[in-house]
Amino acid sequence: MLHFFPAPYPDELFYSTLCRCYVHSGYSTHKMVLQDFFCKRSDTPSKEFIGSLRPEAIKLLDGVFSLDKLVLNHTMYPQYARFIPLMQKKTALYRLGHETCDPHHLFCVLPRNEGELHLRFCPLCVKEDRERYGEAYWHRKHQIRNMRICTKHRCRLAESNVPAKSEQSYAFYPAETYTHEDQAAVENNPLALQFSDYLGAVFDAPMNFESDILISAILYDGLSRTKYLKPSGRTRYTKLLADDMGDFYRGIGINSVASMSQIQRVLLAGRSDFSVVCQIAFFLGMQPEELTAPSLTTEQIQREQGSHYMRDTAPVDWEKLDEETAPILELFARSIYNGTSNENGRPERVSEKLVYREMGLRGHQLENLPKCKAIFDRYTESYPESWARKIIWAYQKLIETGIPFYWSDIRKLSGVKKKNLQVIIPYLAKHTDADTVTRIITLVNK
């Protein structure tokens, strides 16, 4: 029964507050919290956002805390929505607090790289939190992509064993239990410290819900003051910029250095990834306020827009584009296929439309990229085969719970309807053993 929810601490993840609610409210199992707060068992909540709350939970929270403020101040919304178009930004803010939605449908959430797979913490913050609040908690700023340093204590963040990505067997891991006060490793690289401060400043800045200036125009203005844009404004020296940025960021040891294709997509208004934007802007010497509170004139904006014709007339180096895009596509396609990009872990079908959209490709450009085409073909499958993999995944997940279940449970978890089973059966054996196929069919016929 919902009756209590603790006040979030400064910069605390909503997930962290839920963990403390689980500890302090006397819940005996994680499942009881999920049943009280969230709509369906199949709607696995995200550690980075709020999740699909039940009406009763929304009423409880909204009566004490503004849901919009919870999203703004206690989720990773400022990271993912910072540079997206204004209307999309407002829609995402509302839907994350008031509706059932997948964050992947609101903005780009890239697969995680090494060093970002688990929740991070600062040992000195843990000590300070315990002294001030009586317990530690998960800080949002420590979870920013490519954030390696605590901007308050100037020490390197430690990695916990708590997965940053939500899993199907959702559990509450309070920071008080899963962090420690071991001696902190002080960071001495001044550039690494400056870059972490930059990420933190951009993340903490108030969200701009008035201006709708594209991030490509803001970065174009930053480029205009450097050697990476021809004085005419018509030519960007993107390869030189990517090479110089690569050397710079590898030197300070961040988790994921922006590739040339990622830089191109941001500069040409195709993407607005927080980490890539910050890497470009920091390297160009732009102040955080130029990103978070831009003051470009109409003439400056139009100058950037007028340079876009180069996208259509400049010759494309297909071999280089193929070489650079292939590893990104491999990571993306694999994450869709095996479900690691999905908050509930469910595998999905890798469609041509999805690949074109996420890779920033147009027309039939995949035909000019043989390495990328080979990767796409390797993951290509029919709808029935995709449904078969979803059913097997759902069956295995339910087996892991140790609780008796029925076909209706598989259907809810997989999203596959019973009427499609006849075309699915031939593909089951391709992805699992004969005994499992028999047990699944038996469940269907009960």
Side-chain angles (χ1 to χ4, degrees):
M1 182 70 181
L2 289 174
H3 57 84
F4 163 77
F5 192 78
Y9 294 131
D11 193 50
E12 182 178 21
L13 268 179
F14 180 79
Y15 167 76
S16 175
T17 316
L18 271 178
C19 291
R20 293 192 297 110
C21 180
Y22 163 67
V23 171
H24 298 308
S25 295
Y27 285 105
S28 57
T29 66
H30 302 280
K31 184 178 179 181
M32 291 174 64
V33 185
L34 292 171
Q35 289 175 335
D36 270 1
F37 279 92
F38 298 101
C39 295
K40 295 184 292 183
R41 185 176 66 182
S42 58
D43 289 333
T44 305
S46 165
K47 289 189 176 75
E48 292 191 300
F49 300 102
I50 289 181
S52 305
L53 296 174
R54 292 178 58 199
E56 297 88 344
I58 292 177
K59 184 177 180 181
L60 169 69
L61 295 177
D62 208 18
V64 183
F65 320 103
S66 160
L67 289 177
D68 284 351
K69 287 185 178 179
L70 275 179
V71 174
L72 281 168
N73 300 324
H74 299 285
T75 75
M76 299 307 291
Y77 170 86
Q79 174 179 244
Y80 295 108
R82 174 67 64 182
F83 304 118
I84 62 178
L86 182 59
M87 187 53 65
Q88 187 182 350
K89 189 183 300 182
K90 291 180 177 180
T91 300
L93 177 63
Y94 178 81
R95 294 194 65 193
L96 286 171
H98 298 84
E99 294 183 0
T100 298
C101 67
D102 184 342
H104 292 78
H105 298 158
L106 302 176
F107 31 60
C108 178
V109 181
L110 296 176
R112 293 183 175 275
N113 296 289
E114 194 68 32
E116 300 173 346
L117 301 177
H118 298 86
L119 294 183
R120 299 186 293 272
F121 64 93
C122 164
L124 296 181
C125 283
V126 169
K127 183 176 185 295
E128 191 173 275
D129 292 343
R130 286 171 176 164
E131 292 172 351
R132 180 174 298 178
Y133 304 108
E135 60 185 337
Y137 62 91
W138 299 114
H139 290 244
R140 289 188 310 162
K141 210 181 311 188
H142 297 162
Q143 318 312 323
I144 297 173
R145 301 291 184 94
N146 267 326
M147 179 67 83
R148 295 176 51 249
I149 301 165
C150 174
T151 56
K152 182 176 184 179
H153 295 109
R154 326 303 282 170
C155 64
R156 294 175 198 145
L157 296 174
E159 193 171 42
S160 72
N161 60 359
V162 177
K165 180 183 177 297
S166 299
E167 300 175 307
Q168 185 60 37
S169 53
Y170 196 80
F172 298 98
Y173 302 103
E176 176 61 24
T177 306
Y178 292 89
T179 60
H180 55 74
E181 298 179 23
D182 291 358
Q183 185 172 358
V186 177
E187 178 58 63
N188 295 315
N189 186 324
L191 290 175
L193 290 167
Q194 290 171 28
F195 181 62
S196 294
D197 286 339
Y198 194 88
L199 291 175
V202 175
F203 183 85
D204 281 340
M207 292 293 292
N208 189 333
F209 290 107
E210 301 298 329
S211 172
D212 198 19
I213 301 175
L214 292 177
I215 190 59
S216 58
I218 297 169
L219 294 176
Y220 181 88
D221 183 61
L223 279 173
S224 69
R225 305 192 290 269
T226 70
K227 64 181 181 180
Y228 302 108
L229 183 68
K230 198 170 183 178
S232 66
R234 295 294 188 181
T235 303
R236 300 169 176 83
Y237 299 112
T238 312
K239 184 181 185 306
L240 178 61
L241 174 63
D243 289 345
D244 289 351
M245 281 178 57
D247 292 340
F248 177 79
Y249 285 111
R250 279 188 288 272
I252 65 176
I254 67 173
N255 293 324
S256 177
V257 178
S259 68
M260 180 172 169
S261 58
Q262 288 176 313
I263 293 170
Q264 284 177 320
R265 285 198 290 271
V266 167
L267 294 179
L268 296 176
R271 282 284 185 87
S272 55
D273 180 68
F274 182 90
S275 177
V276 177
V277 170
C278 287
Q279 286 182 56
I280 296 172
F282 179 75
F283 181 76
L284 295 177
M286 300 176 68
Q287 295 300 310
E289 295 76 19
E290 293 184 72
L291 299 181
T292 60
S295 57
L296 299 185
T297 64
T298 302
E299 182 182 356
Q300 287 173 311
I301 295 171
Q302 290 175 344
R303 187 179 179 213
E304 186 270 338
Q305 292 174 344
S307 71
H308 281 193
Y309 85 95
M310 294 300 294
R311 275 192 292 177
D312 301 317
T313 60
V316 178
D317 187 335
W318 294 108
E319 185 176 351
K320 179 186 292 185
L321 182 62
D322 193 24
E323 192 72 31
E324 293 174 347
T325 306
I328 301 172
L329 176 58
E330 175 69 46
L331 184 63
F332 171 74
R334 186 191 311 132
S335 69
I336 297 296
Y337 186 84
N338 62 24
T340 56
S341 70
N342 198 332
E343 286 299 332
N344 66 8
R346 186 173 70 187
E348 299 290 350
R349 180 173 175 268
V350 181
S351 69
E352 187 173 26
K353 180 179 179 180
L354 185 63
V355 167
Y356 269 79
R357 186 185 73 198
E358 293 300 320
M359 293 296 103
L361 301 174
R362 292 172 293 159
H364 298 280
Q365 289 183 336
L366 201 60
E367 301 300 326
N368 298 322
L369 308 171
K371 290 185 178 180
C372 291
K373 183 66 165 58
I375 291 169
F376 174 71
D377 290 344
R378 194 167 72 250
Y379 287 100
T380 299
E381 61 185 348
S382 64
Y383 280 104
E385 184 168 2
S386 173
W387 295 335
R389 291 194 305 107
K390 289 180 182 179
I391 288 175
I392 293 167
W393 167 82
Y395 174 83
Q396 292 170 341
K397 284 293 180 184
L398 291 167
I399 284 288
E400 291 172 5
T401 66
I403 302 172
F405 60 91
Y406 304 93
W407 163 253
S408 58
D409 298 303
I410 295 179
R411 180 183 60 77
K412 290 177 183 177
L413 200 54
S414 67
V416 178
K417 296 179 180 179
K418 189 174 182 178
K419 67 179 183 180
N420 296 315
L421 196 67
Q422 290 306 310
V423 294
I424 294 172
I425 288 177
Y427 294 101
L428 291 174
K430 180 178 177 180
H431 295 280
T432 191
D433 57 86
D435 288 342
T436 300
V437 174
T438 301
R439 287 193 291 269
I440 289 174
I441 294 175
T442 301
L443 280 170
V444 175
N445 294 328
K446 279 187 177 181

